[in-house]
Amino acid sequence: MLWTHRDQFQDFCIKLFKVVTYSVQAQYSYVIVQLLLSHLELHRSDSALVRTGIVYVLAETFTIAAGGSVGPSILEVIDTMLKQLWHSVSRQSSDMEELENEKVFQKKCISTIGSFASNLPSYQQMDIMMFIMGKVPSSKDIDDDAHDMQFLLQKITLEGLLEVSKKYKAADISSAYASATGLWEPLLKMVLADDPSIRSITQQILQALVDRHDAADKFAVPRIVYDLKDLDVTREKCSRADYVFMKKHGSEFLFCCYDSLARTNNELENFTSAYQTLALLTLTFQNDELLIDLMRFAFSIQEMGQENQTLGIQHTCTLHGIVASYLSLVTHLLGFSGPCTHVEEVIENRRKVARHLLPAFVFDKKAAERRLATYLF
């Protein structure tokens, strides 16, 4: 009776399974999860609404049962949820309502993966991220005949990884890197993917991994920094371990960021994501020597905008806007009056004669292209 009708009584089922899950010993709660996953698999051919109802019950059960999941059972849960996602993506329908319902199902699956991971210790979250990364279809494996479908699978798998990465908080970046070389290297390669949306999602994953103080939203839009107090960010000195890590591996991050900024099919979101990554790296690795290295990197981006003749005018102006935003941040973090004063003077001069090179101009999504054309021509 329960298994037959519970999809029609979602709220009742959620409450019922909460009671059942709380009633069993923690080490056996994974059995309930496995039963629900089996039920979801049994109904994989049913409508998206039915499957979404089951996932809602799963999500609520996860918050209780995740702590009792050990060893292979954790990765089995993630593997099942990924397969459900892929099956949903591959379903073709001419019914627009059903397609929208499939998108709702996919979003709920992704959030449920995150909900499951949020109740686990950081080392198990890292295991999940490495497992999901290993499931992301390689760009080399995408053939012309099934390009669109394989691209969608790649994108939605990365979205699942992003959801888990948002739950992860490392004590320091060096230990996170050491425990997950199988994650970082593929991620850095994905930053250079051909598709701009894939590059953007990958940047967001990297941001989540280095953002220890939930500061990403503070850098959501590049802007000129006049006072660090306006940002309201947590500042802490870079640890010795993180300093050594950045000196050893920082060039890999910066090379990928530089190369991604040079891609001619970048959208505004790609530039914003690249700036966020740079800003978070700067906030995380607050050491005068490292900050000076990052300033040099900013100048190399500016040089790209000046000398790369293959870039369009919009692209070039956006690069200059990023550099202006970034240098205003890093010079204030360094706290040296000379560089701060020089950057402020350049920004003020641009405000008078070259507003198209400032972030307030180029990062206005609604009017950037129209205003740029009017301003220059």
Side-chain angles (χ1 to χ4, degrees), residues 131-176:
F131 179 78
I132 295 176
M133 191 71 236
K135 296 288 186 178
V136 177
S138 169
S139 297
K140 295 180 181 178
D141 298 333
I142 297 180
D143 56 64
D144 293 336
D145 294 336
H147 179 275
D148 291 345
M149 182 58 63
Q150 289 175 302
F151 162 73
L152 288 173
L153 293 175
Q154 187 181 62
K155 184 176 179 180
I156 205 160
T157 307
L158 284 172
E159 287 175 351
L161 176 56
L162 173 60
E163 193 68 23
V164 179
S165 69
K166 290 177 180 178
K167 314 298 180 183
Y168 178 79
K169 286 291 179 286
D172 55 71
I173 306 305
S174 55
S175 62

Side-chain angles (χ1 to χ4, degrees), residues 19 95 109 134 142 153 161 170 173 213 240 277 324 346:
V19 171
D95 186 339
C109 279
I142 297 180
L153 293 175
L161 176 56
I173 306 305
H213 302 293
R240 175 66 182 171
T277 302
V346 171

